[in-house]
Amino acid sequence: MSAIRMDGKALSAKVRGQILAETEALKAQGVVPGLAVILVGDDPASQIYVRNKERACSECGFYSEKHVLPATASEQDLLDLIERLNANPKISGILCQLPLPEQIREDAVIAAIDPKKDVDAFHPVNVGKIMVGDFDFLPCTPAGVMELLDEYQIDPAGKRCVVVGRSNIVGKPMAMLLLHRHGTVTICHSRTHDLAGLCAQADILVAAVGKAGFITPEMVKPDAVVIDVGMNRNEEGKVCGDVDPAVLDKAAYMTPVPGGVGPMTITMLMRNTIKAARLQNNL
Ligand code: NDP
């Protein structure tokens, strides 16, 4: 039997519709949510992500600005831009598309964004708030995964959850959100012994590795929930996930790539932006 496909595209459309309605209500109170997206350089994948974020802003009725700096921009150029955006009342949220060129320190840039405008939730203040469970913003990709689990009425409480990947952007916050929802969480990474054996025990398996087809059917417990965060390109240049499509025949639920976690990530960015607009206007 084939797994139920967890449709992130459909859920995104539903949530974006709700956000648009909330935006209209805020506009009636004189507040327009605004997102500034910064792109440094001309990485083709980053250009696609930025375009998708601009499109989502317009779907949600937001004001948006795109700032493109050349690949040769200095760290100070970027910090100056962030300072201006921090002070601009039209801007509720600031997103700096990663990765950055090597002359710019990612952590310096993240730390420069006003935590109240940090809609990616990467600033150490927001990371700390997530750790203690008292947060304004949730990191977009893990938040999107939690929305998908909720939509399909999958409750992590008491379940064995395995997250493969420990990045600050996906793996670590994903594990934390599952823990907040009372999952029993294991984080695996490149030094993990018997990774396949640990994955095979998971009721909920989240793959955030960045390697096409990394999770094979032998690594999946029958009837598991499999969340594929990966966004890779295969030999033909097609977008594919970290999970081998053959897992569909073993899992009970699975997110497709594309059309699973990806659209939810951008939708959660929109949710954080409207939340930022509210917080900044005490609404
Ligand atoms: P990183 O490269 O920052 O992290 C990858 C993680 O996978 C690391 O923790 C690494 O372990 C681990 N890993 C790599 N190889 C192995 C291995 N052979 N065995 C076990 N663990 C391994 O990637 P990100 O977290 O930023 O992204 C992961 C994937 O998710 C990528 O495909 C990315 O494109 C995608 N992504 C998708 C998003 C979406 O919206 N759908 C959003 C963000 C990312 P170690 O720490 O030990 O090196």
Side-chain angles (χ1 to χ4, degrees):
M1 218 181 70
S2 191
I4 293 171
R5 206 171 156 272
M6 300 172 81
D7 190 343
K9 217 169 149 193
L11 180 56
S12 275
K14 186 167 109 180
V15 177
R16 285 185 200 183
Q18 292 161 357
I19 295 174
L20 177 62
E22 284 176 48
T23 307
E24 297 306 328
L26 271 186
K27 282 182 177 169
Q29 296 174 274
V31 173
V32 183
L35 179 69
V37 181
I38 306 170
L39 177 61
V40 187
D42 46 17
D43 175 60
S46 293
Q47 283 175 339
I48 295 171
Y49 297 145
V50 166
R51 204 175 314 134
N52 289 341
K53 285 165 189 173
E54 284 182 288
R55 195 175 302 145
C57 279
S58 107
E59 270 178 47
C60 293
F62 294 177
Y63 168 72
S64 72
E65 285 180 4
K66 180 167 96 170
H67 296 265
V68 182
L69 299 185
T72 52
S74 70
E75 185 177 295
Q76 197 55 51
D77 293 335
L78 182 51
L79 295 179
D80 290 345
L81 171 61
I82 290 173
E83 201 179 313
R84 289 198 299 278
L85 294 170
N86 279 341
N88 183 347
K90 278 167 81 176
I91 299 302
S92 331
I94 303 168
L95 177 137
C96 185
Q97 187 66 48
L98 303 177
L100 292 166
E102 59 182 19
Q103 74 275 17
I104 303 180
R105 289 169 302 155
E106 217 168 88
D107 52 354
V109 170
I110 289 170
I113 295 175
D114 181 343
K116 290 193 217 68
K117 296 193 177 188
D118 171 37
V119 283
D120 257 336
F122 293 163
H123 191 288
V125 165
N126 289 321
V127 173
K129 286 181 162 208
I130 292 157
M131 187 83 174
V132 295
D134 171 25
F135 38 76
D136 298 319
F137 305 120
L138 286 177
C140 301
T141 300
V145 171
M146 298 313 288
E147 285 285 321
L148 275 166
L149 292 176
D150 286 342
E151 177 71 7
Y152 287 85
Q153 294 170 2
I154 298 159
D155 182 0
K159 304 231 166 70
R160 187 170 268 262
C161 307
V162 174
V163 179
V164 190
R166 58 171 163 177
S167 71
N168 288 335
I169 294 172
V170 188
K172 279 187 212 163
M174 184 74 253
M176 201 48 62
L177 297 196
L178 289 164
L179 182 63
H180 285 323
R181 294 284 298 276
H182 313 295
T184 301
V185 185
T186 303
I187 307 176
C188 299
H189 45 78
S190 64
R191 311 284 183 95
T192 299
H193 293 172
D194 189 24
L195 183 132
L198 288 167
C199 290
Q201 293 176 30
D203 302 309
I204 299 176
L205 177 61
V206 182
V209 186
K211 292 201 159 104
F214 183 83
I215 303 288
T216 55
E218 309 75 66
M219 297 163 77
V220 175
K221 182 174 162 177
D223 293 333
V225 176
V226 180
I227 306 289
D228 191 352
V229 178
M231 292 239 270
N232 315 295
R233 297 237 168 227
N234 66 12
E235 281 141 19
E236 297 121 50
K238 264 181 70 184
V239 174
C240 61
D242 287 345
V243 180
D244 180 339
V247 169
L248 263 173
D249 293 331
K250 198 155 180 197
Y253 292 86
M254 186 162 146
T255 58
V257 178
V261 177
M264 289 307 295
T265 296
I266 300 183
T267 299
M268 294 300 104
L269 175 69
M270 301 299 113
R271 181 176 276 174
N272 280 348
T273 304
I274 200 166
K275 180 143 196 210
R278 275 218 189 84
L279 285 172
Q280 285 153 38
N281 290 279
N282 301 315
L283 289 171

